[in-house]
Amino acid sequence: MKNINETLSLKRYDFSADKSLRPHSAADEYLLDYVLNLKTKPGSLAIYNDRFGFLTCYLSAYTPTVIATHKSQEIAIELNLKANKLPKTTFQYPLTQEPKKEVFAIMKAPKSLELFQLFLEHIKQQSTDDATVVISFMTRHFSPKLIRIASQYFEVANQSKALKKARLLILSKKRKTSLVSLLNTLEYKGQFYKQYWGVFSAKHIDYATQYFLQHLELKTEDKDILDLASGNGVIAKTIHLQKPLADVHLLDDSYLAVESAKLNINGKNIHHHYANDLSIFEENTFDLIVTNPPFHFEYEVNIQIAIRLFKSCFQCLKTNGNLQVVANKHLNYITHLQPIFSSVVVLAENEKFSIYKCNK
């Protein structure tokens, strides 16, 4: 596409310090060109894995339905639409059930093959037999498993020529397949946890989280607790089992993680939040915040989001409250935590992980 950056003004809205990162890739551009050059305009366009709204904005006239997986994604899309004076879009979630219709779906292939399959399951359940799916990917990220999974759902899977190191995979002729469970079951310390495909660490409880739970410090006075970036809820559940009277809040940017946690921990003093920051909480709310914050976002590494969350944690903690963080050792979060908190100590450390206790 010519002068694509001069047409709309799009931002990433992810607080990345790397100014070279763009809100789209050549794979997004390839997808957009394909749709714009169709002889017939799709009657029902669904967009999957559009992280910052590049496809949603440029295809706004097609009134697409955006299948959202993260609150940060929804916010970025809404902000980019508003900044470019484009109409609001319709969001849907990959676990929702709608009447079947003819669907033309476009998707930037996610890094998680499980999430890719969950998307195809959603398309299968939402669409009539004449559905078409066009998937883009950068050639360096290609895996033959992508084709194998796609072939379970569609009889025809054609690859395009490479363009700017990107390719398209075009699926048609939907197969008749039986319903499958979208859940994995993980065991930890005699407790079983369910989580939807695409949620981080699909085969076992994340090793950093396991290490964290071995060294977590709980005090008698901890009454209001937040599990930040809560995933399937294993940290919150462990805390709840030890402190059943405490109010425990779970917050995650991932829709699928929040829905997974709801399967694992519930009660009158358990609160689930689908959000990407702590702005929903007032200052001085929590006695304790615990977190295993993410730093991988698809193929990118970004610690700026975690640092921003640490600053918000300070505001939301009560005086004498504390934040406990587990992180990969090489991230060296202590250098970012010390300027924020009155004291930061290392609770535990091994060759891979560090656990920090930060006091307000």
Side-chain angles (χ1 to χ4, degrees), residues 210-257:
Q210 292 188 38
Y211 186 64
F212 194 23
L213 291 173
Q214 294 168 20
H215 299 278
L216 189 64
E217 285 192 1
L218 298 176
K219 298 184 295 185
T220 304
E221 55 267 35
D222 290 337
K223 305 296 184 184
D224 297 291
I225 301 170
L226 171 64
D227 181 358
L228 176 61
S230 50
N232 66 15
V234 60
I235 298 175
K237 181 68 174 284
T238 302
I239 292 172
H240 179 60
L241 290 172
Q242 295 181 52
K243 298 184 71 65
L245 298 181
D247 272 302
V248 180
H249 294 256
L250 297 85
L251 182 149
D252 206 291
D253 184 33
S254 164
Y255 163 80
L256 292 168

mmCIF file of all heavy atoms in Angstrom, residues 210-257:
data_model
loop_
_atom_site.group_PDB
_atom_site.id
_atom_site.type_symbol
_atom_site.label_atom_id
_atom_site.label_comp_id
_atom_site.label_asym_id
_atom_site.label_seq_id
_atom_site.Cartn_x
_atom_site.Cartn_y
_atom_site.Cartn_z
ATOM 1 N N GLN A 210 5.064 -21.002 40.452
ATOM 2 C CA GLN A 210 5.317 -22.054 41.434
ATOM 3 C C GLN A 210 6.367 -21.602 42.458
ATOM 4 O O GLN A 210 6.211 -21.816 43.666
ATOM 5 C CB GLN A 210 5.778 -23.328 40.731
ATOM 6 C CG GLN A 210 4.710 -24.002 39.889
ATOM 7 C CD GLN A 210 5.152 -25.355 39.362
ATOM 8 O OE1 GLN A 210 5.837 -26.112 40.061
ATOM 9 N NE2 GLN A 210 4.764 -25.678 38.133
ATOM 10 N N TYR A 211 7.425 -20.988 41.962
ATOM 11 C CA TYR A 211 8.480 -20.492 42.857
ATOM 12 C C TYR A 211 7.932 -19.406 43.778
ATOM 13 O O TYR A 211 8.237 -19.363 44.982
ATOM 14 C CB TYR A 211 9.642 -19.970 42.018
ATOM 15 C CG TYR A 211 10.855 -19.555 42.809
ATOM 16 C CD1 TYR A 211 11.584 -20.492 43.543
ATOM 17 C CD2 TYR A 211 11.283 -18.226 42.824
ATOM 18 C CE1 TYR A 211 12.707 -20.114 44.270
ATOM 19 C CE2 TYR A 211 12.400 -17.841 43.545
ATOM 20 C CZ TYR A 211 13.105 -18.794 44.268
ATOM 21 O OH TYR A 211 14.216 -18.424 44.990
ATOM 22 N N PHE A 212 7.119 -18.532 43.227
ATOM 23 C CA PHE A 212 6.487 -17.450 43.986
ATOM 24 C C PHE A 212 5.665 -18.008 45.140
ATOM 25 O O PHE A 212 5.757 -17.552 46.288
ATOM 26 C CB PHE A 212 5.614 -16.645 43.033
ATOM 27 C CG PHE A 212 5.148 -15.315 43.560
ATOM 28 C CD1 PHE A 212 5.814 -14.650 44.571
ATOM 29 C CD2 PHE A 212 4.035 -14.708 43.002
ATOM 30 C CE1 PHE A 212 5.386 -13.406 45.030
ATOM 31 C CE2 PHE A 212 3.591 -13.469 43.441
ATOM 32 C CZ PHE A 212 4.276 -12.813 44.470
ATOM 33 N N LEU A 213 4.861 -19.014 44.852
ATOM 34 C CA LEU A 213 3.965 -19.572 45.868
ATOM 35 C C LEU A 213 4.729 -20.247 47.005
ATOM 36 O O LEU A 213 4.222 -20.356 48.124
ATOM 37 C CB LEU A 213 2.993 -20.555 45.214
ATOM 38 C CG LEU A 213 1.953 -19.901 44.282
ATOM 39 C CD1 LEU A 213 1.147 -20.958 43.542
ATOM 40 C CD2 LEU A 213 1.027 -18.980 45.070
ATOM 41 N N GLN A 214 5.939 -20.677 46.732
ATOM 42 C CA GLN A 214 6.771 -21.281 47.781
ATOM 43 C C GLN A 214 7.283 -20.236 48.775
ATOM 44 O O GLN A 214 7.651 -20.577 49.910
ATOM 45 C CB GLN A 214 7.959 -22.006 47.156
ATOM 46 C CG GLN A 214 7.597 -23.227 46.323
ATOM 47 C CD GLN A 214 8.778 -23.734 45.502
ATOM 48 O OE1 GLN A 214 9.933 -23.440 45.805
ATOM 49 N NE2 GLN A 214 8.490 -24.495 44.449
ATOM 50 N N HIS A 215 7.324 -18.977 48.362
ATOM 51 C CA HIS A 215 7.950 -17.938 49.187
ATOM 52 C C HIS A 215 7.022 -16.762 49.510
ATOM 53 O O HIS A 215 7.459 -15.784 50.106
ATOM 54 C CB HIS A 215 9.205 -17.415 48.479
ATOM 55 C CG HIS A 215 10.237 -18.465 48.245
ATOM 56 N ND1 HIS A 215 11.130 -18.872 49.213
ATOM 57 C CD2 HIS A 215 10.506 -19.217 47.146
ATOM 58 C CE1 HIS A 215 11.919 -19.817 48.733
ATOM 59 N NE2 HIS A 215 11.565 -20.043 47.472
ATOM 60 N N LEU A 216 5.773 -16.882 49.137
ATOM 61 C CA LEU A 216 4.808 -15.811 49.366
ATOM 62 C C LEU A 216 4.646 -15.534 50.861
ATOM 63 O O LEU A 216 4.523 -16.458 51.656
ATOM 64 C CB LEU A 216 3.463 -16.213 48.760
ATOM 65 C CG LEU A 216 2.359 -15.169 48.692
ATOM 66 C CD1 LEU A 216 2.768 -14.026 47.769
ATOM 67 C CD2 LEU A 216 1.080 -15.816 48.173
ATOM 68 N N GLU A 217 4.658 -14.257 51.235
ATOM 69 C CA GLU A 217 4.511 -13.871 52.645
ATOM 70 C C GLU A 217 3.133 -13.247 52.865
ATOM 71 O O GLU A 217 2.793 -12.239 52.252
ATOM 72 C CB GLU A 217 5.602 -12.875 53.055
ATOM 73 C CG GLU A 217 6.965 -13.499 53.240
ATOM 74 C CD GLU A 217 7.951 -12.556 53.914
ATOM 75 O OE1 GLU A 217 7.557 -11.410 54.248
ATOM 76 O OE2 GLU A 217 9.100 -12.960 54.131
ATOM 77 N N LEU A 218 2.361 -13.849 53.759
ATOM 78 C CA LEU A 218 1.046 -13.323 54.122
ATOM 79 C C LEU A 218 1.064 -12.915 55.587
ATOM 80 O O LEU A 218 1.630 -13.624 56.438
ATOM 81 C CB LEU A 218 -0.035 -14.380 53.893
ATOM 82 C CG LEU A 218 -0.228 -14.871 52.454
ATOM 83 C CD1 LEU A 218 -1.268 -15.975 52.408
ATOM 84 C CD2 LEU A 218 -0.621 -13.718 51.546
ATOM 85 N N LYS A 219 0.447 -11.773 55.885
ATOM 86 C CA LYS A 219 0.378 -11.276 57.265
ATOM 87 C C LYS A 219 -1.063 -11.374 57.774
ATOM 88 O O LYS A 219 -2.014 -11.370 56.989
ATOM 89 C CB LYS A 219 0.851 -9.820 57.328
ATOM 90 C CG LYS A 219 2.287 -9.603 56.909
ATOM 91 C CD LYS A 219 2.714 -8.150 57.083
ATOM 92 C CE LYS A 219 1.946 -7.232 56.163
ATOM 93 N NZ LYS A 219 2.427 -5.828 56.225
ATOM 94 N N THR A 220 -1.205 -11.418 59.065
ATOM 95 C CA THR A 220 -2.534 -11.491 59.685
ATOM 96 C C THR A 220 -3.398 -10.315 59.264
ATOM 97 O O THR A 220 -4.601 -10.453 59.029
ATOM 98 C CB THR A 220 -2.403 -11.504 61.220
ATOM 99 O OG1 THR A 220 -1.566 -12.594 61.603
ATOM 100 C CG2 THR A 220 -3.764 -11.656 61.874
ATOM 101 N N GLU A 221 -2.786 -9.132 59.138
ATOM 102 C CA GLU A 221 -3.542 -7.917 58.830
ATOM 103 C C GLU A 221 -3.859 -7.751 57.345
ATOM 104 O O GLU A 221 -4.469 -6.748 56.953
ATOM 105 C CB GLU A 221 -2.799 -6.686 59.361
ATOM 106 C CG GLU A 221 -1.369 -6.550 58.863
ATOM 107 C CD GLU A 221 -0.357 -7.181 59.814
ATOM 108 O OE1 GLU A 221 -0.667 -8.207 60.437
ATOM 109 O OE2 GLU A 221 0.750 -6.619 59.931
ATOM 110 N N ASP A 222 -3.474 -8.699 56.506
ATOM 111 C CA ASP A 222 -3.793 -8.613 55.077
ATOM 112 C C ASP A 222 -5.267 -8.972 54.863
ATOM 113 O O ASP A 222 -5.650 -10.144 54.849
ATOM 114 C CB ASP A 222 -2.907 -9.564 54.266
ATOM 115 C CG ASP A 222 -1.461 -9.116 54.224
ATOM 116 O OD1 ASP A 222 -1.216 -7.915 54.421
ATOM 117 O OD2 ASP A 222 -0.577 -9.966 54.004
ATOM 118 N N LYS A 223 -6.091 -7.944 54.709
ATOM 119 C CA LYS A 223 -7.534 -8.144 54.547
ATOM 120 C C LYS A 223 -8.015 -7.883 53.121
ATOM 121 O O LYS A 223 -8.992 -8.479 52.670
ATOM 122 C CB LYS A 223 -8.306 -7.224 55.509
ATOM 123 C CG LYS A 223 -7.921 -7.360 56.965
ATOM 124 C CD LYS A 223 -8.240 -8.730 57.518
ATOM 125 C CE LYS A 223 -7.925 -8.788 59.013
ATOM 126 N NZ LYS A 223 -8.129 -10.160 59.568
ATOM 127 N N ASP A 224 -7.335 -6.960 52.449
ATOM 128 C CA ASP A 224 -7.705 -6.596 51.077
ATOM 129 C C ASP A 224 -6.511 -6.884 50.181
ATOM 130 O O ASP A 224 -5.450 -6.243 50.317
ATOM 131 C CB ASP A 224 -8.092 -5.123 50.995
ATOM 132 C CG ASP A 224 -9.319 -4.817 51.829
ATOM 133 O OD1 ASP A 224 -10.416 -5.277 51.459
ATOM 134 O OD2 ASP A 224 -9.170 -4.121 52.859
ATOM 135 N N ILE A 225 -6.699 -7.826 49.269
ATOM 136 C CA ILE A 225 -5.565 -8.362 48.499
ATOM 137 C C ILE A 225 -5.901 -8.324 47.012
ATOM 138 O O ILE A 225 -7.028 -8.628 46.606
ATOM 139 C CB ILE A 225 -5.258 -9.817 48.937
ATOM 140 C CG1 ILE A 225 -4.923 -9.843 50.433
ATOM 141 C CG2 ILE A 225 -4.126 -10.416 48.110
ATOM 142 C CD1 ILE A 225 -4.851 -11.244 51.030
ATOM 143 N N LEU A 226 -4.912 -7.965 46.200
ATOM 144 C CA LEU A 226 -5.061 -7.958 44.748
ATOM 145 C C LEU A 226 -4.056 -8.897 44.118
ATOM 146 O O LEU A 226 -2.855 -8.823 44.404
ATOM 147 C CB LEU A 226 -4.846 -6.541 44.191
ATOM 148 C CG LEU A 226 -4.748 -6.415 42.659
ATOM 149 C CD1 LEU A 226 -6.050 -6.824 41.977
ATOM 150 C CD2 LEU A 226 -4.346 -4.994 42.260
ATOM 151 N N ASP A 227 -4.547 -9.791 43.262
ATOM 152 C CA ASP A 227 -3.691 -10.612 42.402
ATOM 153 C C ASP A 227 -3.700 -9.946 41.032
ATOM 154 O O ASP A 227 -4.687 -10.016 40.295
ATOM 155 C CB ASP A 227 -4.242 -12.045 42.331
ATOM 156 C CG ASP A 227 -3.384 -12.970 41.469
ATOM 157 O OD1 ASP A 227 -2.383 -12.501 40.898
ATOM 158 O OD2 ASP A 227 -3.733 -14.168 41.360
ATOM 159 N N LEU A 228 -2.616 -9.286 40.708
ATOM 160 C CA LEU A 228 -2.496 -8.495 39.482
ATOM 161 C C LEU A 228 -1.871 -9.348 38.379
ATOM 162 O O LEU A 228 -0.839 -9.992 38.598
ATOM 163 C CB LEU A 228 -1.636 -7.265 39.766
ATOM 164 C CG LEU A 228 -1.296 -6.337 38.609
ATOM 165 C CD1 LEU A 228 -2.548 -5.746 37.977
ATOM 166 C CD2 LEU A 228 -0.363 -5.230 39.098
ATOM 167 N N ALA A 229 -2.493 -9.340 37.192
ATOM 168 C CA ALA A 229 -2.111 -10.254 36.101
ATOM 169 C C ALA A 229 -2.332 -11.685 36.578
ATOM 170 O O ALA A 229 -1.430 -12.515 36.614
ATOM 171 C CB ALA A 229 -0.680 -10.023 35.640
ATOM 172 N N SER A 230 -3.568 -11.949 36.967
ATOM 173 C CA SER A 230 -3.920 -13.132 37.761
ATOM 174 C C SER A 230 -3.985 -14.444 36.992
ATOM 175 O O SER A 230 -4.060 -15.507 37.609
ATOM 176 C CB SER A 230 -5.268 -12.884 38.452
ATOM 177 O OG SER A 230 -6.231 -12.431 37.521
ATOM 178 N N GLY A 231 -3.993 -14.407 35.657
ATOM 179 C CA GLY A 231 -4.017 -15.651 34.896
ATOM 180 C C GLY A 231 -5.202 -16.526 35.271
ATOM 181 O O GLY A 231 -6.324 -16.047 35.415
ATOM 182 N N ASN A 232 -4.943 -17.818 35.463
ATOM 183 C CA ASN A 232 -6.042 -18.741 35.787
ATOM 184 C C ASN A 232 -6.456 -18.692 37.253
ATOM 185 O O ASN A 232 -7.343 -19.435 37.672
ATOM 186 C CB ASN A 232 -5.677 -20.173 35.375
ATOM 187 C CG ASN A 232 -4.525 -20.765 36.178
ATOM 188 O OD1 ASN A 232 -4.150 -20.245 37.231
ATOM 189 N ND2 ASN A 232 -3.937 -21.842 35.686
ATOM 190 N N GLY A 233 -5.808 -17.842 38.057
ATOM 191 C CA GLY A 233 -6.233 -17.651 39.445
ATOM 192 C C GLY A 233 -5.529 -18.502 40.471
ATOM 193 O O GLY A 233 -5.934 -18.521 41.634
ATOM 194 N N VAL A 234 -4.444 -19.162 40.092
ATOM 195 C CA VAL A 234 -3.793 -20.084 41.027
ATOM 196 C C VAL A 234 -3.210 -19.347 42.235
ATOM 197 O O VAL A 234 -3.286 -19.854 43.365
ATOM 198 C CB VAL A 234 -2.705 -20.929 40.311
ATOM 199 C CG1 VAL A 234 -1.620 -20.056 39.706
ATOM 200 C CG2 VAL A 234 -2.103 -21.951 41.255
ATOM 201 N N ILE A 235 -2.643 -18.153 42.048
ATOM 202 C CA ILE A 235 -2.091 -17.411 43.186
ATOM 203 C C ILE A 235 -3.223 -16.969 44.109
ATOM 204 O O ILE A 235 -3.161 -17.140 45.331
ATOM 205 C CB ILE A 235 -1.263 -16.200 42.713
ATOM 206 C CG1 ILE A 235 -0.058 -16.667 41.881
ATOM 207 C CG2 ILE A 235 -0.786 -15.378 43.911
ATOM 208 C CD1 ILE A 235 0.748 -15.531 41.269
ATOM 209 N N ALA A 236 -4.268 -16.406 43.526
ATOM 210 C CA ALA A 236 -5.408 -15.954 44.329
ATOM 211 C C ALA A 236 -6.050 -17.121 45.072
ATOM 212 O O ALA A 236 -6.446 -16.985 46.240
ATOM 213 C CB ALA A 236 -6.434 -15.270 43.429
ATOM 214 N N LYS A 237 -6.161 -18.268 44.419
ATOM 215 C CA LYS A 237 -6.774 -19.443 45.060
ATOM 216 C C LYS A 237 -5.922 -19.915 46.242
ATOM 217 O O LYS A 237 -6.451 -20.254 47.312
ATOM 218 C CB LYS A 237 -6.921 -20.570 44.030
ATOM 219 C CG LYS A 237 -7.573 -21.851 44.543
ATOM 220 C CD LYS A 237 -9.047 -21.635 44.859
ATOM 221 C CE LYS A 237 -9.748 -22.931 45.221
ATOM 222 N NZ LYS A 237 -10.041 -23.778 44.057
ATOM 223 N N THR A 238 -4.609 -19.908 46.068
ATOM 224 C CA THR A 238 -3.717 -20.310 47.151
ATOM 225 C C THR A 238 -3.855 -19.366 48.341
ATOM 226 O O THR A 238 -3.904 -19.802 49.504
ATOM 227 C CB THR A 238 -2.260 -20.321 46.656
ATOM 228 O OG1 THR A 238 -2.157 -21.222 45.537
ATOM 229 C CG2 THR A 238 -1.313 -20.777 47.749
ATOM 230 N N ILE A 239 -3.948 -18.070 48.058
ATOM 231 C CA ILE A 239 -4.130 -17.080 49.130
ATOM 232 C C ILE A 239 -5.493 -17.268 49.807
ATOM 233 O O ILE A 239 -5.609 -17.231 51.042
ATOM 234 C CB ILE A 239 -3.991 -15.648 48.573
ATOM 235 C CG1 ILE A 239 -2.548 -15.393 48.142
ATOM 236 C CG2 ILE A 239 -4.456 -14.609 49.593
ATOM 237 C CD1 ILE A 239 -2.343 -14.088 47.400
ATOM 238 N N HIS A 240 -6.522 -17.475 48.988
ATOM 239 C CA HIS A 240 -7.879 -17.638 49.526
ATOM 240 C C HIS A 240 -7.979 -18.854 50.441
ATOM 241 O O HIS A 240 -8.672 -18.809 51.474
ATOM 242 C CB HIS A 240 -8.859 -17.771 48.364
ATOM 243 C CG HIS A 240 -10.280 -17.968 48.787
ATOM 244 N ND1 HIS A 240 -10.968 -17.060 49.556
ATOM 245 C CD2 HIS A 240 -11.151 -18.999 48.546
ATOM 246 C CE1 HIS A 240 -12.201 -17.510 49.768
ATOM 247 N NE2 HIS A 240 -12.326 -18.675 49.179
ATOM 248 N N LEU A 241 -7.296 -19.930 50.108
ATOM 249 C CA LEU A 241 -7.319 -21.128 50.949
ATOM 250 C C LEU A 241 -6.676 -20.857 52.313
ATOM 251 O O LEU A 241 -7.074 -21.431 53.320
ATOM 252 C CB LEU A 241 -6.602 -22.283 50.244
ATOM 253 C CG LEU A 241 -7.323 -22.859 49.010
ATOM 254 C CD1 LEU A 241 -6.432 -23.860 48.295
ATOM 255 C CD2 LEU A 241 -8.642 -23.514 49.413
ATOM 256 N N GLN A 242 -5.687 -19.962 52.343
ATOM 257 C CA GLN A 242 -5.017 -19.628 53.600
ATOM 258 C C GLN A 242 -5.728 -18.509 54.361
ATOM 259 O O GLN A 242 -5.658 -18.445 55.591
ATOM 260 C CB GLN A 242 -3.562 -19.204 53.322
ATOM 261 C CG GLN A 242 -2.697 -20.313 52.755
ATOM 262 C CD GLN A 242 -1.267 -19.852 52.526
ATOM 263 O OE1 GLN A 242 -0.624 -19.311 53.428
ATOM 264 N NE2 GLN A 242 -0.763 -20.068 51.317
ATOM 265 N N LYS A 243 -6.415 -17.630 53.619
ATOM 266 C CA LYS A 243 -7.092 -16.488 54.247
ATOM 267 C C LYS A 243 -8.519 -16.395 53.675
ATOM 268 O O LYS A 243 -8.823 -15.496 52.883
ATOM 269 C CB LYS A 243 -6.310 -15.202 53.981
ATOM 270 C CG LYS A 243 -4.902 -15.197 54.565
ATOM 271 C CD LYS A 243 -4.202 -13.863 54.357
ATOM 272 C CE LYS A 243 -4.795 -12.781 55.222
ATOM 273 N NZ LYS A 243 -4.619 -12.998 56.665
ATOM 274 N N PRO A 244 -9.391 -17.309 54.073
ATOM 275 C CA PRO A 244 -10.734 -17.373 53.478
ATOM 276 C C PRO A 244 -11.614 -16.162 53.771
ATOM 277 O O PRO A 244 -12.617 -15.959 53.080
ATOM 278 C CB PRO A 244 -11.332 -18.645 54.101
ATOM 279 C CG PRO A 244 -10.544 -18.885 55.351
ATOM 280 C CD PRO A 244 -9.169 -18.388 55.057
ATOM 281 N N LEU A 245 -11.262 -15.348 54.761
ATOM 282 C CA LEU A 245 -12.090 -14.182 55.098
ATOM 283 C C LEU A 245 -11.613 -12.901 54.394
ATOM 284 O O LEU A 245 -12.298 -11.881 54.441
ATOM 285 C CB LEU A 245 -12.099 -13.957 56.615
ATOM 286 C CG LEU A 245 -12.691 -15.104 57.442
ATOM 287 C CD1 LEU A 245 -12.664 -14.756 58.928
ATOM 288 C CD2 LEU A 245 -14.115 -15.435 56.997
ATOM 289 N N ALA A 246 -10.465 -12.951 53.772
ATOM 290 C CA ALA A 246 -9.935 -11.759 53.100
ATOM 291 C C ALA A 246 -10.700 -11.487 51.807
ATOM 292 O O ALA A 246 -11.206 -12.404 51.155
ATOM 293 C CB ALA A 246 -8.456 -11.947 52.797
ATOM 294 N N ASP A 247 -10.795 -10.217 51.444
ATOM 295 C CA ASP A 247 -11.338 -9.848 50.144
ATOM 296 C C ASP A 247 -10.219 -9.968 49.119
ATOM 297 O O ASP A 247 -9.194 -9.274 49.224
ATOM 298 C CB ASP A 247 -11.856 -8.408 50.163
ATOM 299 C CG ASP A 247 -13.308 -8.324 50.610
ATOM 300 O OD1 ASP A 247 -14.153 -8.953 49.963
ATOM 301 O OD2 ASP A 247 -13.577 -7.647 51.614
ATOM 302 N N VAL A 248 -10.414 -10.853 48.147
ATOM 303 C CA VAL A 248 -9.384 -11.110 47.139
ATOM 304 C C VAL A 248 -9.889 -10.655 45.773
ATOM 305 O O VAL A 248 -10.944 -11.094 45.317
ATOM 306 C CB VAL A 248 -9.000 -12.605 47.094
ATOM 307 C CG1 VAL A 248 -7.932 -12.851 46.026
ATOM 308 C CG2 VAL A 248 -8.493 -13.064 48.466
ATOM 309 N N HIS A 249 -9.123 -9.765 45.150
ATOM 310 C CA HIS A 249 -9.448 -9.260 43.817
ATOM 311 C C HIS A 249 -8.478 -9.875 42.806
ATOM 312 O O HIS A 249 -7.279 -9.966 43.065
ATOM 313 C CB HIS A 249 -9.337 -7.738 43.773
ATOM 314 C CG HIS A 249 -10.344 -7.040 44.628
ATOM 315 N ND1 HIS A 249 -11.454 -6.419 44.100
ATOM 316 C CD2 HIS A 249 -10.410 -6.867 45.976
ATOM 317 C CE1 HIS A 249 -12.158 -5.880 45.078
ATOM 318 N NE2 HIS A 249 -11.555 -6.145 46.225
ATOM 319 N N LEU A 250 -9.011 -10.272 41.660
ATOM 320 C CA LEU A 250 -8.191 -10.796 40.570
ATOM 321 C C LEU A 250 -8.376 -9.879 39.365
ATOM 322 O O LEU A 250 -9.510 -9.581 38.979
ATOM 323 C CB LEU A 250 -8.606 -12.218 40.175
ATOM 324 C CG LEU A 250 -8.456 -13.330 41.205
ATOM 325 C CD1 LEU A 250 -9.675 -13.395 42.117
ATOM 326 C CD2 LEU A 250 -8.283 -14.680 40.503
ATOM 327 N N LEU A 251 -7.269 -9.441 38.785
ATOM 328 C CA LEU A 251 -7.336 -8.542 37.634
ATOM 329 C C LEU A 251 -6.405 -9.047 36.543
ATOM 330 O O LEU A 251 -5.253 -9.399 36.811
ATOM 331 C CB LEU A 251 -6.942 -7.121 38.051
ATOM 332 C CG LEU A 251 -7.009 -6.029 36.979
ATOM 333 C CD1 LEU A 251 -7.340 -4.682 37.624
ATOM 334 C CD2 LEU A 251 -5.715 -5.909 36.184
ATOM 335 N N ASP A 252 -6.924 -9.072 35.316
ATOM 336 C CA ASP A 252 -6.087 -9.473 34.184
ATOM 337 C C ASP A 252 -6.540 -8.750 32.923
ATOM 338 O O ASP A 252 -7.738 -8.461 32.750
ATOM 339 C CB ASP A 252 -6.139 -10.985 33.952
ATOM 340 C CG ASP A 252 -4.876 -11.506 33.271
ATOM 341 O OD1 ASP A 252 -4.664 -11.197 32.076
ATOM 342 O OD2 ASP A 252 -4.085 -12.201 33.939
ATOM 343 N N ASP A 253 -5.583 -8.469 32.056
ATOM 344 C CA ASP A 253 -5.841 -7.828 30.768
ATOM 345 C C ASP A 253 -6.470 -8.808 29.784
ATOM 346 O O ASP A 253 -7.124 -8.412 28.829
ATOM 347 C CB ASP A 253 -4.509 -7.303 30.208
ATOM 348 C CG ASP A 253 -4.653 -6.525 28.919
ATOM 349 O OD1 ASP A 253 -5.685 -5.845 28.734
ATOM 350 O OD2 ASP A 253 -3.738 -6.590 28.084
ATOM 351 N N SER A 254 -6.262 -10.103 30.007
ATOM 352 C CA SER A 254 -6.735 -11.141 29.092
ATOM 353 C C SER A 254 -8.155 -11.585 29.436
ATOM 354 O O SER A 254 -8.421 -12.045 30.550
ATOM 355 C CB SER A 254 -5.799 -12.355 29.143
ATOM 356 O OG SER A 254 -6.403 -13.491 28.564
ATOM 357 N N TYR A 255 -9.038 -11.467 28.465
ATOM 358 C CA TYR A 255 -10.420 -11.931 28.642
ATOM 359 C C TYR A 255 -10.450 -13.425 28.950
ATOM 360 O O TYR A 255 -11.184 -13.878 29.844
ATOM 361 C CB TYR A 255 -11.213 -11.629 27.370
ATOM 362 C CG TYR A 255 -12.515 -12.385 27.248
ATOM 363 C CD1 TYR A 255 -13.654 -11.970 27.923
ATOM 364 C CD2 TYR A 255 -12.607 -13.527 26.450
ATOM 365 C CE1 TYR A 255 -14.844 -12.663 27.818
ATOM 366 C CE2 TYR A 255 -13.796 -14.225 26.335
ATOM 367 C CZ TYR A 255 -14.907 -13.798 27.020
ATOM 368 O OH TYR A 255 -16.086 -14.499 26.907
ATOM 369 N N LEU A 256 -9.654 -14.210 28.249
ATOM 370 C CA LEU A 256 -9.660 -15.659 28.436
ATOM 371 C C LEU A 256 -9.101 -16.044 29.806
ATOM 372 O O LEU A 256 -9.540 -17.023 30.408
ATOM 373 C CB LEU A 256 -8.868 -16.344 27.321
ATOM 374 C CG LEU A 256 -9.504 -16.256 25.932
ATOM 375 C CD1 LEU A 256 -8.519 -16.701 24.857
ATOM 376 C CD2 LEU A 256 -10.777 -17.093 25.861
ATOM 377 N N ALA A 257 -8.127 -15.264 30.300
ATOM 378 C CA ALA A 257 -7.596 -15.523 31.642
ATOM 379 C C ALA A 257 -8.656 -15.244 32.698
ATOM 380 O O ALA A 257 -8.839 -16.038 33.637
ATOM 381 C CB ALA A 257 -6.356 -14.673 31.894
#
